[in-house]
Amino acid sequence: MKIAVAIYDNFSLLNLAQILNTLSESEHKVRIYALKEAVQSAQKACVRADVSDDSLYGNDAVIICDGECEDLVYNSIFTAWLRSGAMARKIIGFGRSALLLNAAKFENFTLFDNFDKDEFLQNLV
């Protein structure tokens, strides 16, 4: 399974670590996607995306990290980029990423308020 984990400026570094740590135990091909090469977390850490400025199309699952994303809901370029992953079988968001998923007009997605490893893995398959 090809999995895209989408990050953006002011994303939650803790949430990204939880997602990647859980997926590292699986056989899935996981890549970090962002609109730009280097993204700054809410904790001010710089993270380099595996894939930058490229569509989310072709992934089986798209996971959107939690974070301070309130300003991005008005960014049509960002929401259009998120929408490029609409054909994925699974769309999963955490916390405030629901704002982004709604702004990108996703209708069927799974949202977690908090990270729960077992529940996350159950919803991924």
Side-chain angles (χ1 to χ4, degrees):
M1 178 184 272
K2 287 177 56 179
I3 300 173
V5 180
I7 60 173
Y8 47 87
D9 281 331
N10 294 317
F11 73 96
S12 167
L13 191 58
L14 173 61
N15 189 227
L16 177 65
Q18 292 168 325
I19 293 165
L20 294 179
N21 186 50
T22 299
L23 294 176
S24 70
E25 301 167 6
S26 69
E27 305 253 341
H28 303 304
K29 181 179 180 181
V30 181
R31 298 177 81 185
I32 299 172
Y33 281 71
L35 260 182
K36 55 187 183 178
E37 186 178 347
V39 178
Q40 187 172 0
S41 73
Q43 296 75 25
K44 306 302 180 210
C46 184
V47 175
R48 290 201 177 277
D50 299 318
V51 180
S52 59
D53 198 26
D54 197 7
S55 170
L56 296 167
Y57 180 80
N59 287 287
D60 300 307
V62 175
I63 301 168
I64 316 299
C65 284
D66 189 10
E68 299 168 12
C69 58
E70 290 81 358
D71 292 343
L72 284 174
V73 299
Y74 304 107
N75 184 326
S76 61
I77 294 171
F78 186 82
T79 55
W81 174 71
L82 278 183
R83 191 79 188 142
S84 71
M87 297 303 292
R89 290 186 298 140
K90 294 286 183 175
I91 309 290
I92 298 174
F94 287 92
R96 291 168 288 184
S97 69
L99 297 170
L100 296 173
L101 292 165
N102 287 324
K105 301 195 178 2
F106 283 99
E107 294 176 2
N108 297 315
F109 61 87
T110 303
L111 181 68
F112 296 101
D113 289 327
N114 298 303
F115 189 85
D116 180 292
K117 180 179 177 177
D118 294 329
E119 194 175 346
F120 170 61
L121 288 173
Q122 283 178 350
N123 278 281
L124 193 58
V125 290

